[in-house]
Amino acid sequence: MAKIVGSITTSHVPAIGRALAGKLQDDPYWKPFFDGFPPVHAWLEKVKPDVAVVLYNDHGLNFFLDKMPTFAVGAAPQYHNADEGWGIPTLPPYQGDPALSWQLIEDLVAREFDITTCQEMLVDHAFSLPLKLLWPASESCPVRTVPVCINTVQYPLPSARRCYKLGKAIGEAIAGWDDDLRVVIIGTGGLSHQLDGERAGFINKDFDLAFMESLIADPEWATQFSMEELVEKTGTQGVELLMWLAARAALPGAVRKVHANYHIPISNTAAGLMVIETVA
Amino acid sequence: MATRQKREIPGTSIFDGELAQKGYALNKMCFSFNSADNRAEFQRDEAAYCRKFGLNDEQETAIRTRNVLGLLAAGGNVYYLAKFAGILGLDVQDLGAAQTGMTKEAFKAMLVAAGK
């Protein structure tokens, strides 16, 4: 039986890529953000995952408006990062695990999630940067990966409730894998931020902190909100909290917070980081 | 034709089917900027590159005048427009300042204040 060791949720802003490339971890602007990560590294050393299921949103690298899947699951032996148009350094490829991907795909479709399967899939900063933040010392990512992409580009987006259910289904599917694997769920994005429009720069600290707290004891709290309400409360890109919600929902039973960090701002974003594990 | 009531959020637009159709050519051009060769081709002759993707006058004008709010109104999606901004060497804080009418310093100060 595969075991989910826990969930890690983190922001994924492109500027992190420039900060990593420029080795700005101790720069006063960046230090409060990067200081959140050493406890996560220690936790990963302890729980030793073999595989990461990474919930993220594509920003126009792999998917365009010609075909926009609501949920897409990678099924490739390897995933490549690529030029996104603004010159952040490209990171080395990621090992996939097609057998696990197909198990997940079969389980999700059986659970009535009509996903898109991707035997080729470019992964953008929302996938690559969190993995680099979690395993900074390795040249390439040391765990195998299964990417799960959620549409946050073109409305209608899947609702918070739907993403919660997706996460729950992913958790149940993994628990049924007949394999002695240790799996970490990673959800990337958020928290509150808005890049576009006259309201650009919008951040909502009160909501973010309430949301982070809700993930421990009341994880369905955010599912009460419609997508428009979430945009209003968290900004146009704050809806990336969908990935946090799904990553949390993948954990069965009661959970505890291992670690959390929250800092405003990095770039235009309220940066959040959380590690949650199931109470044994 | 049936229409749905849209929720109004000040200073914010929802990139729905209507905008996705309206902005298709513009977004497709910006999507092409993932490739360095395409970025170079655009920079060699912007007008020709816009024509190649079939931009309408509103979109072409917004590209030519670097008008971020105009690009959004013409159906541009921020995830693709960010690639155009990359060509211009602008980051998301430059875009934020341009859209809010603030200086970049004032925009950055507003972000910092949001954390207090």
Side-chain angles (χ1 to χ4, degrees):
Chain A
M1 290 273 287
K3 178 183 163 56
I4 299 180
V5 296
S7 290
I8 304 173
T9 45
T10 175
S11 303
H12 64 215
V13 181
I16 298 165
R18 283 188 280 270
L20 286 168
K23 301 195 188 319
L24 299 178
Q25 288 88 337
D26 290 322
D27 178 273
Y29 183 84
W30 284 102
K31 195 169 163 44
F33 171 73
F34 282 101
D35 277 355
F37 285 89
V40 190
H41 303 152
W43 181 77
L44 283 168
E45 273 299 309
K46 196 179 76 176
V47 300
K48 296 192 186 338
D50 305 298
V51 181
V53 174
V54 186
L55 299 142
Y56 75 106
N57 58 300
D58 180 79
H59 300 68
L61 178 65
N62 192 67
F63 297 112
F64 179 59
L65 303 173
D66 57 338
K67 306 172 197 74
M68 184 57 68
T70 299
F71 300 125
V73 179
Q78 207 175 48
Y79 302 95
H80 290 264
N81 185 215
D83 187 351
E84 293 181 50
W86 50 58
I88 58 172
T90 300
L91 291 163
Y94 300 84
Q95 288 310 117
D97 189 329
L100 289 184
S101 287
W102 282 103
Q103 283 198 56
L104 183 59
I105 288 161
E106 292 198 12
D107 263 315
L108 287 177
V109 174
R111 287 162 205 270
E112 301 183 342
F113 284 89
D114 305 317
I115 48 149
T116 299
T117 62
C118 304
Q119 291 202 59
E120 290 185 48
M121 194 177 191
L122 293 173
V123 288
D124 74 2
H125 67 274
F127 180 94
S128 64
L129 293 177
L131 294 176
K132 193 66 196 169
L133 288 167
L134 299 180
W135 287 281
S138 311
E139 174 64 21
S140 57
C141 179
V143 298
R144 304 194 298 286
T145 57
V146 177
V148 178
C149 183
I150 299 178
N151 165 37
T152 63
V153 176
Q154 177 182 279
Y155 285 71
L157 309 187
S159 69
R161 181 161 297 284
R162 185 67 176 154
C163 292
Y164 186 88
K165 286 181 179 171
L166 174 76
K168 198 161 180 295
I170 289 172
E172 289 167 1
I174 292 169
W177 288 354
D178 184 21
D179 217 329
D180 188 25
L181 282 173
R182 301 174 67 77
V183 182
V184 63
I185 311 290
I186 298 172
T188 90
L191 288 171
S192 63
H193 63 302
Q194 175 153 341
L195 301 177
D196 49 321
E198 293 91 339
R199 201 175 70 139
F202 176 78
I203 281 176
N204 188 345
K205 182 178 179 178
D206 290 342
F207 184 91
D208 286 343
L209 294 176
F211 172 65
M212 288 173 78
E213 202 52 45
S214 77
L215 291 181
I216 306 304
D218 185 16
E220 293 187 52
W221 176 76
T223 65
Q224 69 181 292
F225 300 115
S226 71
M227 205 49 63
E228 286 77 10
E229 287 170 328
L230 286 174
V231 169
E232 191 166 47
K233 290 175 193 303
T234 71
T236 41
Q237 283 73 41
V239 298
E240 290 172 346
L241 66 79
L242 293 176
M243 274 67 71
W244 286 55
L245 204 52
R248 163 61 179 91
L251 299 189
V255 300
R256 71 178 196 92
K257 177 164 66 183
V258 177
H259 174 66
N261 190 41
Y262 181 78
H263 172 68
I264 298 172
I266 55 166
S267 191
N268 289 12
T269 302
L273 168 66
M274 256 181 121
V275 180
I276 303 173
E277 64 183 9
T278 304
V279 178
Chain B
M1 201 179 84
T3 53
R4 247 170 17 98
Q5 189 66 38
K6 288 188 189 178
R7 188 187 184 91
E8 289 295 325
I9 305 167
T12 304
S13 59
I14 298 288
F15 190 76
D16 58 8
E18 192 182 325
L19 283 175
Q21 293 174 76
K22 183 179 183 185
Y24 194 79
L26 171 62
N27 290 316
K28 189 168 180 177
M29 181 178 87
C30 291
F31 178 64
S32 81
F33 295 150
N34 280 332
S35 147
D37 287 349
N38 290 339
R39 297 196 291 272
E41 187 183 334
F42 171 82
Q43 285 175 307
R44 277 195 299 275
D45 188 342
E46 292 192 14
Y49 200 81
C50 288
R51 275 197 304 279
K52 180 173 157 182
F53 280 84
L55 268 59
N56 63 28
D57 288 345
E58 182 189 5
Q59 292 165 343
E60 195 274 330
T61 303
I63 285 283
R64 185 164 34 79
T65 57
R66 304 339 192 199
N67 178 353
V68 184
L69 291 175
L71 288 164
L72 291 170
N77 176 286
V78 68
Y79 290 125
Y80 307 109
L81 294 179
K83 301 170 197 298
F84 174 54
I87 294 181
L88 306 177
L90 303 176
D91 62 29
V92 289
Q93 293 176 336
D94 293 306
L95 295 184
Q99 294 172 100
T100 54
M102 302 169 105
T103 63
K104 188 175 184 180
E105 287 63 37
F107 185 77
K108 289 172 81 165
M110 179 182 79
L111 291 164
V112 170
K116 300 296 179 202

